[in-house]
Amino acid sequence: MVKEDGRVPDLFVRGNATYSANLNATNPVGTVQSIEHTLRSLDKLAADQGNRVARIEKELADYQLQADRRSSTRSV
């Protein structure tokens, strides 16, 4: 696993995107734990992005409502 120059190769988890994990050349359990941590963090990332989308959609609806109110008061 260790390269000739003593460096440990990079480890990536790939799906729709690429995420880095740590490769532990001396402890395979540490490598598995790092991969598990990376995968668990994807759940949090997905939840955070879902919350962001919901917040932006609400802001858009609020702005559309404000724009509708302004246009209806101008046409009177």
Side-chain angles (χ1 to χ4, degrees):
M1 270 187 161
V2 178
K3 295 181 180 179
E4 289 179 10
D5 60 3
R7 293 182 300 143
V8 176
D10 295 327
L11 175 65
F12 298 100
V13 177
R14 290 190 180 174
N16 288 339
T18 302
Y19 305 91
S20 65
N22 294 316
L23 181 63
N24 186 332
T26 59
N27 183 1
V29 173
T31 299
V32 172
Q33 289 173 338
S34 178
I35 294 169
E36 289 174 341
H37 177 267
T38 299
L39 295 174
R40 281 192 305 272
S41 70
L42 296 178
D43 290 335
K44 182 181 180 320
L45 178 63
D48 290 347
Q49 291 301 315
N51 291 337
R52 181 175 177 260
V53 167
R55 186 178 66 251
I56 290 170
E57 286 175 340
K58 183 182 181 318
E59 288 176 9
L60 176 60
D62 290 345
Y63 290 137
Q64 287 172 333
L65 183 60
Q66 289 175 12
D68 290 345
R69 286 181 185 161
R70 287 182 186 156
S71 65
S72 66
T73 58
R74 289 183 182 163
S75 63
V76 174

